[in-house]
Amino acid sequence: MGKETGFLEYERKDRTYADPRERVRHYKEFVVPHPEPDLRLQAARCMNCGIPYCHNGCPVNNLIPDWNHLVYEADWKNALENLHSTNNFPEFTGRICPAPCEAACTLNIVDQPVTIKSIECAIVDRGWNEGWIVPEPPARKTGKRVAVVGSGPAGLACAQQLARVGHSVTVFEKSDRLGGLLRYGIPDFKMEKHLINRRAVQMEAEGVTFKTSTEVGVDVSFASLRDNFDAVVLAGGAEEPRQLLIPGAELPGVRLAMEFLTQQNKRNAGDDEVRAAPRGSLVATGKKVVVIGGGDTGSDCVGTSNRQGAESVVQLEIMPQPPERENKALTWPHWPLKLRTSSSHEEGVERDWAVLTKRVAGEGGEVTGLECVRVEWNDGRMEEIAGSEFTIPADLILLAMGFTGPRKAGLLEQAGVEFDARGNVAADTVRYATSEANVFACGDMRRGQSLVVWAIREGRQAARAVDEALMGVSELPR
């Protein structure tokens, strides 16, 4: 694979970013891609290791050494075919996946992993530019009808796979546009939304029907889906936000991260303020912003706040600060816990760890600050540090503390499915079948809050399970 001595001859060189002072002035993607000669050299670094641990790290089972070698050989079209054999939407993962494959790369033992994510993105972007990516309608129709509820990455992957083997697939999406959190949760500066639109056009040509602004359980009953379809796939995501249960959290200046991010994405899509912000405009302009939550959603709030012209941005995390570098002997090839600095962090933020929020301070119904205390962790137990109380000035507090599972009202109540101990829809990863006949579940609605790449994997595997249940046998990959 690649060049046998490539990993010795060429240093890792990843994509770069536009200057932070420039990119905070807009919401466009700002990654600077490699020129083709550099990409081929980076692909040449794939070292033909005896066990490709990158396979272990990739949830969709990408054949990474194979398409690295094809890129090194400048065989881009076959590289694209290989990439699409395991991943329906590599332009999504090539932009927003945290790349557990690179953490698992053998060369990561010396902190020089192959630039897998960059190469993946380059392959699929070239495929679109060259016109190689076209609809793949089925050769025959099965006569079976499948409803997919939710148009996030799991629902889209499941729908495309099922349509390509001949089932008539209808995707129901409660929002006005397709994509789920891909559309409204991920800022445009990380992934522009024309990427979703062109996949939707491809899928429609393959026979998928999309029904937006249609919430199952509200606009359409679940019973009607059971009556009119041979199978139903629940792919609605994990949308129940974790709440901030402290005094003052009811003040109007304490808002959910998803509301904040969704509003800006709708503005970027051309919506007027009435449509983008039905509950009233939520902007960080000129405000002291505090983001509670140290994950990717919190980082997205940081980047969006800076673009809106926040006076200051502070991001808090309740867990202690992780080490800057992991202990390879203990963690490799698994995903390590270490300090991660995103492009949004580089644009300006004050980060603080091991902080517990105690009270939202307010005056005249407006947020004025956030009272906190420092904590220490011992054997997994958190203890407040006496005398460490402090207050952060704040006008706007954004809650980016994750999700506790799928919403139960409406869809799931009507579906009557059973839940697991974590409150997710109960289904295994072989049959993806729920407790109700011919009702299946996949993605975050089944596994809980997770990565886009895991959602694509589950959507693909659920599609095979549905196909097998309907037809008795399936040729779809797992």
Side-chain angles (χ1 to χ4, degrees):
M1 296 298 169
K3 186 178 181 182
E4 290 183 354
T5 57
F7 71 98
L8 298 172
E9 297 178 36
Y10 312 121
E11 292 291 320
R12 172 184 166 92
K13 181 183 177 184
D14 209 348
R15 296 173 292 187
T16 58
Y17 297 142
D19 188 284
R21 293 169 296 182
E22 170 60 28
R23 68 191 194 227
V24 296
R25 297 163 66 182
H26 61 78
Y27 290 90
K28 300 293 184 182
E29 292 181 16
F30 51 80
V31 174
V32 180
H34 285 305
E36 181 178 345
D38 288 353
L39 280 166
R40 292 180 62 193
L41 292 183
Q42 291 303 302
R45 299 183 65 247
C46 194
M47 62 187 295
N48 197 21
C49 46
I51 299 176
Y53 286 98
C54 55
H55 287 181
N56 177 71
C58 179
V60 293
N61 303 310
N62 277 337
L63 305 173
I64 296 163
D66 300 72
W67 45 255
N68 275 335
H69 180 72
L70 290 165
V71 168
Y72 171 59
E73 296 286 345
D75 191 353
W76 290 87
K77 194 168 186 179
N78 277 323
L80 177 68
E81 183 178 352
N82 182 294
L83 179 56
H84 269 145
S85 71
T86 57
N87 186 350
N88 295 67
F89 313 119
E91 64 269 44
F92 303 165
T93 52
R95 285 170 167 80
I96 58 177
C97 182
C101 54
E102 292 189 19
C105 176
T106 301
L107 286 173
N108 192 40
I109 295 174
V110 291
D111 292 318
Q112 290 288 311
V114 175
T115 55
I116 299 168
K117 178 177 173 179
S118 295
I119 297 168
E120 174 185 36
C121 196
I123 293 170
V124 67
D125 284 356
R126 179 155 183 167
W128 281 108
N129 292 335
E130 296 283 354
W132 296 335
I133 301 175
V134 295
E136 300 177 26
R140 59 179 182 83
K141 299 291 285 185
T142 65
K144 302 293 186 180
R145 305 181 73 226
V146 182
V148 176
V149 184
S151 70
L156 291 177
C158 183
Q160 185 168 60
Q161 292 293 93
L162 288 170
R164 286 178 172 178
V165 292
H167 302 305
S168 295
V169 182
T170 301
V171 176
F172 294 86
E173 170 55 54
K174 67 181 180 181
S175 296
D176 56 347
R177 297 180 179 94
L178 301 172
L181 287 184
L182 286 172
R183 172 76 64 179
Y184 288 133
I186 295 172
D188 287 10
F189 56 79
K190 289 175 65 175
M191 194 186 87
E192 294 179 19
K193 303 310 181 277
H194 68 87
L195 304 172
I196 304 172
N197 299 342
R198 67 187 180 187
R199 281 295 183 183
V201 171
Q202 179 196 36
M203 292 174 63
E204 285 178 326
E206 294 169 344
V208 178
T209 298
F210 293 107
K211 291 187 178 294
T212 56
S213 300
T214 306
E215 184 173 357
V216 179
V218 178
D219 304 302
V220 175
S221 71
F222 187 81
S224 69
L225 264 61
R226 299 205 64 165
D227 291 341
N228 291 285
F229 293 89
D230 298 291
V232 180
V233 181
L234 305 176
E239 297 183 304
E240 193 65 52
R242 184 171 283 108
Q243 300 294 325
L244 181 65
L245 302 177
I246 61 174
E250 72 284 354
L251 289 173
V254 181
R255 306 289 278 272
L256 295 173
M258 278 302 114
E259 182 183 10
F260 177 65
L261 296 173
T262 296
Q263 283 194 14
Q264 187 55 53
N265 280 3
K266 287 191 171 187
R267 293 186 192 103
N268 294 344
D271 289 357
D272 60 28
E273 207 61 17
V274 173
R275 187 174 177 185
R279 290 185 57 210
S281 295
L282 175 57
V283 292
T285 308
K287 294 180 180 177
K288 301 179 182 71
V289 179
V290 177
V291 180
I292 303 178
D296 289 339
T297 300
S299 171
D300 294 342
C301 289
V302 170
T304 302
S305 296
N306 282 326
R307 281 163 177 75
Q308 290 183 353
E311 178 181 329
S312 63
V313 186
V314 177
Q315 184 178 19
L316 304 178
E317 170 56 54
I318 196 171
M319 299 300 294
Q321 181 174 343
E324 290 192 11
R325 187 177 185 275
E326 72 271 29
N327 185 334
K328 303 287 185 181
L330 292 178
T331 62
W332 182 85
H334 301 293
W335 183 250
L337 175 65
K338 68 175 184 178
L339 180 64
R340 302 180 191 278
T341 300
S342 72
S343 60
S344 290
H345 293 143
E346 294 171 351
E347 294 163 2
V349 65
E350 178 186 341
R351 304 169 75 185
D352 206 349
W353 286 266
V355 172
L356 176 66
T357 58
K358 298 290 288 184
R359 176 178 171 271
V360 177
E363 185 175 325
E366 301 293 330
V367 170
T368 59
L370 182 62
E371 297 175 7
C372 308
V373 64
R374 300 200 178 275
V375 297
E376 58 184 3
W377 291 83
N378 297 303
D379 297 323
R381 296 180 61 187
M382 180 184 69
E383 297 179 358
E384 297 183 17
I385 300 175
S388 67
E389 297 83 0
F390 65 101
T391 300
I392 304 172
D395 304 307
L396 175 62
I397 298 172
L398 298 174
L399 307 182
M401 303 179 298
F403 302 88
T404 60
R407 290 196 172 105
K408 307 299 192 298
L411 168 64
L412 296 183
E413 286 180 348
Q414 292 183 20
V417 294
E418 294 180 0
F419 300 95
D420 63 20
R422 296 173 59 205
N424 302 317
V425 177
D428 63 32
T429 55
V430 177
R431 296 176 55 244
Y432 285 88
T434 70
S435 56
E436 295 295 307
N438 298 320
V439 179
F440 303 79
C442 63
D444 289 6
M445 186 166 270
R446 191 207 68 83
R447 67 179 286 116
Q449 179 186 355
S450 191
L451 302 175
V452 167
V453 67
W454 273 105
I456 294 173
R457 170 198 173 112
E458 294 222 346
R460 288 171 61 86
Q461 291 188 341
R464 177 186 169 90
V466 171
D467 187 37
E468 193 168 28
L470 294 178
M471 308 302 292
V473 65
S474 178
E475 295 182 355
L476 286 172
R478 269 190 54 79

